[in-house]
């Protein structure tokens, strides 16, 4: 967190060269000093965004000013040379920005907030696509937004609730945000954290959601729930369950393996371990 004596900063870490090297903050490049009102609560890269070869784009959400900005990050010889605000994406958020994602086909920036609202705006013009007040997905915080890798119209919203933690909506329909196309989740004795990171499988057919420990009856240590959205009754039947760890799992992601068409599932847990699972459909 920043203050007047210790302002917030946007930093850039070069990718480490060599398996044993790790990036260090003292070697990071300072890109931009943020004032108290500009403090950033979340930042995401804009993969597959249309831009020049010597620059990249990222999007940030404000902690206090509740503003969403698209940034242009310029590079030269593999190093970042400058970062400048390129476009303000207009929203009507009234609380901290808690989640961001970029949809490259329509060139949309989606933002979620602590008040449970989702806003859709144009990354190029900054125009707001949703209604004046945004669309409320839930009364709880929006923890993560993720676009389906094979259907850019389908967006996953992860909520910090005790049930119905996953909402899927079609961005082509404004009403779909208020009335999701699909609601998934498990009843838990504990509100799930805003910091949980679910993921789509790269083929877009499966959703992986890490669950924190529930009540004594429901358990849940090290559990990842898996829903197959191709199945018509996936919201009615219990999901498949995978236990890659012995403690709470916080994050699920996928990396492409050396074998074509195969992906490894990466999980991060409270057991201080990172799990790698060779997952194949």
């Amino acid at each position: 967190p920043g203050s007047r004596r210790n302002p917030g900063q946007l930093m850039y870490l070069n990718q480490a060269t060599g398996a044993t090297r790790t990036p260090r903050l003292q070697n990071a490049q300072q890109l931009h000093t943020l004032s108290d009102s500009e403090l950033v609560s979340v930042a995401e890269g804009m993969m597959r965004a249309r831009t020049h070869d010597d620059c990249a784009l990222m999007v940030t959400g404000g902690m206090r000013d509740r503003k969403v900005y698209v940034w242009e990050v310029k590079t030269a010889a593999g190093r970042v040379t400058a970062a400048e605000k390129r476009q303000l994406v207009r929203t009507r958020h009234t609380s901290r920005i808690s989640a961001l994602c970029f949809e490259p086909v329509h060139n949309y920036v989606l933002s979620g907030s602590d008040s449970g609202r989702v806003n859709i705006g144009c990354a190029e013009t900054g125009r707001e696509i949703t209604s004046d007040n945004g669309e409320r997905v839930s009364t709880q915080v929006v923890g993560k937004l993720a676009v389906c890798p094979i259907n850019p119209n389908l967006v996953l919203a992860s909520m910090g609730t005790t049930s119905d933690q996953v909402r899927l909506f079609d961005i082509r329909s404004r009403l779909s945000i208020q009335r999701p196309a699909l609601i998934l989740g498990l009843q838990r004795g504990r509100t799930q954290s805003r910091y949980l990171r679910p993921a789509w499988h790269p083929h877009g057919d499966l959703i992986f959601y890490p669950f924190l420990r529930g009540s004594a009856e429901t358990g849940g240590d090290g559990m990842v729930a898996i829903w197959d959205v191709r199945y018509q009754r996936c919201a009615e039947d219990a999901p498949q369950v995978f236990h890659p760890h012995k403690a709470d799992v916080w994050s699920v992601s996928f990396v492409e393996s050396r074998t074509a068409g195969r992906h490894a599932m990466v999980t991060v847990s409270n057991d201080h371990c990172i799990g790698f699972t060779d997952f194949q459909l």
Side-chain angles (χ1 to χ4, degrees):
S3 64
R4 291 184 179 178
R5 294 185 178 181
N6 183 27
Q9 295 179 349
L10 287 180
M11 309 293 288
Y12 171 80
L13 287 170
N14 282 317
Q15 183 175 353
T17 55
T20 59
R21 291 187 57 192
T22 57
R24 300 193 177 191
L25 285 176
Q26 56 263 37
N27 297 328
Q29 296 170 244
Q30 178 180 331
L31 301 183
H32 189 84
T33 299
L34 304 172
S35 67
D36 281 357
S37 62
E38 293 179 307
L39 292 181
V40 168
S41 54
V42 60
E44 292 285 347
M46 297 172 63
M47 301 296 292
R48 295 167 54 198
R50 298 184 290 270
T51 184
H52 303 293
D53 293 337
D54 60 347
C55 73
L57 298 180
M58 69 175 181
V59 59
T60 62
M63 179 182 297
R64 296 177 180 171
D65 63 8
R66 302 176 294 278
K67 293 182 178 179
V68 175
Y69 284 101
V70 173
W71 293 69
E72 184 174 80
V73 182
K74 298 181 179 180
T75 61
R79 291 182 61 83
V80 171
T81 58
E84 300 175 350
K85 289 178 180 176
R86 174 171 170 173
Q87 179 66 57
L88 169 66
V89 180
R90 286 185 283 275
T91 73
R92 299 295 180 100
H93 288 301
T94 58
S95 59
R96 184 186 75 100
I97 307 298
S98 57
L100 292 168
C101 75
F102 174 65
E103 195 288 292
V105 175
H106 301 94
N107 207 26
Y108 287 165
V109 170
L110 290 88
S111 56
S113 69
D114 279 352
S115 61
R117 294 187 181 277
V118 171
N119 193 92
I120 304 175
C122 178
E124 186 65 30
T125 65
R127 181 174 63 91
E128 187 178 7
I129 307 300
T130 49
S131 65
D132 288 345
N133 294 318
E135 301 296 341
R136 186 179 293 277
V137 179
S138 168
T139 57
Q140 301 295 325
V141 60
V142 180
K144 183 176 175 62
L145 295 167
V147 177
C148 177
I150 62 170
N151 182 358
N153 297 310
L154 194 59
V155 175
L156 175 155
S158 171
M159 316 304 300
T161 58
T162 56
S163 63
D164 299 338
Q165 292 89 358
V166 179
R167 319 287 175 89
L168 302 183
F169 57 89
D170 190 327
I171 61 176
R172 293 171 296 185
S173 171
R174 182 172 64 84
L175 289 178
S176 177
I177 298 179
Q178 294 176 321
R179 304 169 187 171
L182 189 63
I183 299 177
L184 304 169
L186 293 176
Q187 186 67 43
R188 312 300 285 164
R190 171 185 177 188
T191 300
Q192 300 299 286
S193 172
R194 69 175 65 181
Y195 300 111
L196 291 179
R197 292 293 177 261
W200 290 94
H201 186 273
H203 292 167
D205 301 320
L206 305 177
I207 292 174
F208 293 74
Y209 191 95
F211 275 95
L212 299 184
R213 185 183 300 108
S215 64
E217 292 78 19
T218 58
D221 288 359
M223 186 180 82
V224 176
I226 306 172
W227 283 281
D228 188 340
V229 295
R230 297 170 297 180
Y231 179 44
Q232 186 176 6
R233 297 179 56 185
C234 67
E236 302 173 21
D237 295 345
Q240 299 181 60
V241 175
F242 179 55
H243 290 270
H245 297 273
K246 295 181 179 180
D248 287 337
V249 179
W250 286 87
S251 173
V252 180
S253 60
F254 286 87
V255 294
E256 189 172 358
S257 66
R258 294 183 179 179
T259 304
R262 300 184 66 172
H263 297 83
M265 181 172 67
V266 183
T267 50
V268 179
S269 167
N270 270 358
D271 60 9
H272 307 291
C273 294
I274 299 176
F276 294 88
T277 305
D278 186 10
F279 190 90
Q280 186 176 10
L281 290 179

